[in-house]
């Protein structure tokens, strides 16, 4: 199976920052509002938005709007895709 280098880089970019790893750890226990994420990690709102864009672009995280807030959760489909790329590389 051929690997899509650009897509693979986008997926794994999500894992290449300590704050994004913290966010993923928080989301591993379930959906969280952006306001809750902002309280837990020491970043500004624009920085959080930047991290969430990278996580959502990767497909690892999905967001849904509720009023003025966005609620984020880990996407099983995104996790499966990342695992598929790892499986390809180990063969």
């Amino acid at each position: 199976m051929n690997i899509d280098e650009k897509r693979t880089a986008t997926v794994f970019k999500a894992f290449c920052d300590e704050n994004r790893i913290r966010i993923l750890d928080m989301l591993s226990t379930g959906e969280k509002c952006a306001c809750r994420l902002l309280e837990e990690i020491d970043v500004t709102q624009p920085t959080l938005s930047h991290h969430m864009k990278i996580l959502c672009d990767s497909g690892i995280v999905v967001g849904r709007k509720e009023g003025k807030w966005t609620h984020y959760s880990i996407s099983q489909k995104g996790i499966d895709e990342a695992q598929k790329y790892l499986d390809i590389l180990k063969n």
Side-chain angles (χ1 to χ4, degrees), residues 1-74:
M1 177 186 280
N2 290 335
I3 194 164
D4 179 339
E5 293 91 357
K6 186 171 184 167
R7 179 69 189 138
T8 303
T10 299
V11 169
F12 286 103
K13 181 178 180 180
F15 298 103
C16 293
D17 182 89
E18 291 176 26
N19 285 318
R20 290 193 288 274
I21 297 300
R22 284 187 196 105
I23 292 166
L24 289 170
D25 185 46
M26 290 176 63
L27 295 178
S28 70
T29 61
E31 183 181 76
K32 301 282 186 297
C33 176
C35 60
R36 178 82 171 127
L37 296 172
L38 202 51
E39 291 171 359
E40 294 293 323
I41 61 173
D42 189 29
V43 297
T44 64
Q45 189 280 323
T47 300
L48 177 66
S49 292
H50 170 75
H51 287 307
M52 298 317 295
K53 178 177 181 351
I54 290 169
L55 288 166
C56 288
D57 286 351
S58 75
I60 301 296
V61 170
V62 292
R64 68 174 182 83
K65 293 288 275 181
E66 188 175 296
K68 69 176 188 169
W69 293 107
T70 302
H71 296 260
Y72 295 99
S73 60
I74 292 179

